[in-house]
Amino acid sequence: MDNKNQISVNIAPEIAGGKYANLAIIGHSSSEFTLNFASVLPGQVNVANVQARVIMAPEHAKRLLMALQDNVQKYEMQFGKIQINTPSAPSMPMAAGGEA
């Protein structure tokens, strides 16, 4: 990649720590995708606190999908297959919806 295609990414200290999420609720309209990242605490299965919301154009959502697929493949090549719904990893749904 040449220098003119590189982006310098800055992250504010209050964002750098990140937010924990074990639930993603995804909705869409004709012009955008809305991703709500939430956390569900043990014992409060009917309450999900949204930690972050990201709204993006459909083209960017597809780029995100491809980037996640690529990174999951790389992760699994390095660390082994990711198991879903094993007894040691409780099931947390990734919810997908229609209109946002």
Side-chain angles (χ1 to χ4, degrees):
M1 179 183 291
D2 60 28
N3 286 340
K4 67 180 178 181
N5 288 331
Q6 292 183 349
I7 296 174
S8 175
V9 177
N10 297 316
I11 186 163
E14 62 271 15
I15 294 176
K19 295 287 185 178
Y20 177 77
N22 57 9
L23 174 67
I25 304 164
I26 304 167
H28 64 274
S29 68
S30 62
S31 60
E32 61 194 19
F33 276 73
T34 302
L35 293 80
N36 289 302
F37 296 96
S39 61
V40 179
L41 301 175
Q44 296 184 338
V45 294
N46 293 328
V47 178
N49 296 308
V50 174
Q51 302 297 315
R53 170 177 280 184
V54 177
I55 301 168
M56 61 180 61
E59 298 83 1
H60 294 306
K62 191 157 189 176
R63 287 185 186 105
L64 174 63
L65 172 65
M66 293 184 316
L68 281 171
Q69 287 174 326
D70 180 56
N71 276 270
V72 167
Q73 287 175 338
K74 289 175 182 174
Y75 176 95
E76 290 183 330
M77 285 180 9
Q78 184 174 356
F79 300 108
K81 186 164 177 59
I82 299 169
Q83 299 297 321
I84 298 176
N85 296 333
T86 62
S88 64
S91 174
M92 271 299 159
M94 292 292 123
E99 297 294 314

